Amino acid sequence: MKKSIKRAVSLALASTMALSLAACGGGQATESAAQTSDPGNNAPETTAEPAAAEGLEVNTTDPITLTFSWWGGDARHEATQNAVKKFMEKYPNIKVENQFAAWSGWEDKMSASFATGTAPDVNQINWNWITSFSSDGSAFYDLNKVSDILDLTQFSESALADCNVAGKQQGVPVALTGRIFYWNKTTFEKAGLDTPKSLADLMAAGPVFKEKLGDEYYPIALAEYDRMILMVFYLESKYGKPWVENNQLQYSQEEIQDGLEFIQSLEDNHVTNTIKGIAGDGADSLDKNPKWMDGRYAGIFEWDSAASKFEGALIDGEEFVVGQEFEDMGDWNGGYAKVSMCFAISENTEHPAECAALINFLLNEQEGAELMGIERGIPCSQAGLKVCEDKGLLSDKVAEANAKVLGYVEFPLDPKFESAALKNSDGTYYDVMAGVSYGDYDVEEAAEILVEGIEDVLNK
């Protein structure tokens, strides 16, 4: 029987969409689900009383211009622009200038703007940006001060707490997310196999794919960052301790070597292609990889919110299904969930009330929430979630994946896990995972490099 760190019973999975829908909203079920994977356990703690609302009012007469930034794909861009357009119809005196692009290079650009105080008024931010760019509270406005305009009661206390650093509510959570397996059922059927229900199933599938389908067919495709997250999932499942706690790496170099050997075993058993092989496919991301599109890569380990993107990339006739977490990796429920992203107001904005009105419109009000839909995941806003549910906007697969993730994973995520020095394409994770795959490092050397890189980030 699994040893449970934070609860004795997992949430029901695919058939219980309602639990997924409660994952970020208010109420007892919400608190339980959010606390199960509370990444704020490693965030700086504060005992300060929240700032009182300052009684600001939205200016509805004088001309005002706000700037609003986000990253994403075409569908997110379109949805957000349409919602902003509706906001400007509601407030004709407020003009919103949109700034958006794909993810590549976006973090570096925003880092510079926060450092120089030139960031847009309203920003979509990664959760870890709060600690990376504003650990002292200098970059983002305290949303408690505009809580009479931006309705924070629509969000669970634990999800809000994850965005509260240096005694300030520096962001409002948009969604919670975590990693799960997705499978191309059609390819597995061609190999005469069911989709994997366990790590043992996945390992056994590798040789079968090679024998029955050919050298270019693999049960799963794992890029560098995917491997890092899966390795942590494996180690937490096996050893029963968080990756980082109280700003300290909890794993020895020998334990990390064990994790790297596990990742390398996936290549050795033809479960995943090499990093060189995946890079040679010539795609910027796996959803754009022709081998994913036509089923030669039959699985991914991705964020629950990515289901629609990967399913939509498949050619006609390929059946896409949500997998499940592997319980045979160890005695604990490894892995983590996190606040996927937040909306935040720049500390130096001249229009905090109007910024708060924009965020409230996008997340909490019917017109805005309907247009925003689930392009950023299952909404944390209770009001926004109800709009999506009532309008039939919820993707069954995203909801299923979200329920499975939040019902299983048990460990906190350290905010520094996603530091640019670690997760960027020139960071430590990529260096280590590519180095092992290419044969540039043995696992002992790679573990040493990984420990050094992580501790360097933790000690800053």
Side-chain angles (χ1 to χ4, degrees), residues 99-290:
Q99 302 175 15
F100 56 88
W103 170 252
S104 180
W106 189 257
E107 186 169 26
D108 290 339
K109 174 184 176 180
M110 295 307 297
S111 174
S113 69
F114 291 128
T116 58
T118 58
D121 296 291
V122 178
N123 301 274
Q124 173 184 299
I125 66 170
N126 263 341
W127 169 65
N128 69 301
W129 289 9
I130 295 175
T131 49
S132 295
F133 305 147
S134 190
S135 60
D136 61 352
S138 61
F140 303 120
Y141 192 86
D142 188 351
L143 299 181
N144 285 312
K145 294 180 179 180
V146 287
S147 59
D148 48 0
I149 301 170
L150 170 55
D151 185 3
L152 298 178
T153 66
Q154 297 298 330
F155 305 86
S156 73
E157 291 182 6
S158 59
L160 287 172
D162 291 342
C163 308
N164 191 310
V165 176
K168 297 174 65 175
Q169 189 64 49
Q170 297 198 49
V172 60
V174 176
L176 289 181
T177 190
R179 289 263 178 154
I180 196 166
F181 296 101
Y182 295 104
W183 307 113
N184 184 327
K185 186 178 179 182
T186 304
T187 301
F188 277 92
E189 289 176 343
K190 289 178 182 177
L193 298 171
D194 292 330
T195 56
K197 304 299 188 295
S198 65
L199 177 59
D201 289 345
L202 179 61
M203 296 298 288
V208 176
F209 268 55
K210 183 174 183 179
E211 177 186 353
K212 292 190 175 182
L213 302 178
D215 288 343
E216 288 197 334
Y217 283 78
Y218 293 88
I220 196 168
L222 297 166
E224 293 93 337
Y225 192 46
D226 306 324
R227 295 178 187 215
M228 183 64 199
I229 296 176
L230 183 57
M231 186 189 78
V232 172
F233 197 114
Y234 169 81
L235 290 174
E236 290 179 340
S237 299
K238 183 173 181 178
Y239 293 101
K241 53 186 178 181
W243 180 242
V244 168
E245 190 171 51
N246 298 323
N247 215 44
Q248 297 290 322
L249 180 64
Q250 299 299 299
Y251 285 79
S252 67
Q253 185 171 317
E254 291 73 21
E255 289 168 335
I256 292 173
Q257 285 179 220
D258 178 21
L260 290 169
E261 288 169 354
F262 158 67
I263 293 297
Q264 188 57 36
S265 73
L266 299 175
E267 279 191 14
D268 295 342
N269 287 277
H270 198 79
V271 173
T272 189
N273 200 356
T274 63
I275 294 297
K276 181 179 180 180
I278 294 173
D281 297 334
D284 293 336
S285 56
L286 284 176
D287 63 299
K288 298 177 182 177
N289 192 307

Side-chain angles (χ1 to χ4, degrees), residues 4 31 95 100 143 192 230 291 297 311 320 327 335 369 423 431 436 459:
S4 178
E31 292 301 308
K95 178 183 178 182
F100 56 88
L143 299 181
L230 183 57
K291 291 182 180 177
Y297 293 154
E311 183 175 25
F320 179 86
E327 296 190 10
K423 71 167 285 190
D431 179 33
V436 171
N459 291 329

Side-chain angles (χ1 to χ4, degrees), residues 184 186 190 292-295 311-320:
N184 184 327
T186 304
K190 289 178 182 177
W292 166 256
M293 294 176 180
D294 66 15
E311 183 175 25
L314 292 175
I315 62 174
D316 291 343
E318 303 293 311
E319 184 178 355
F320 179 86

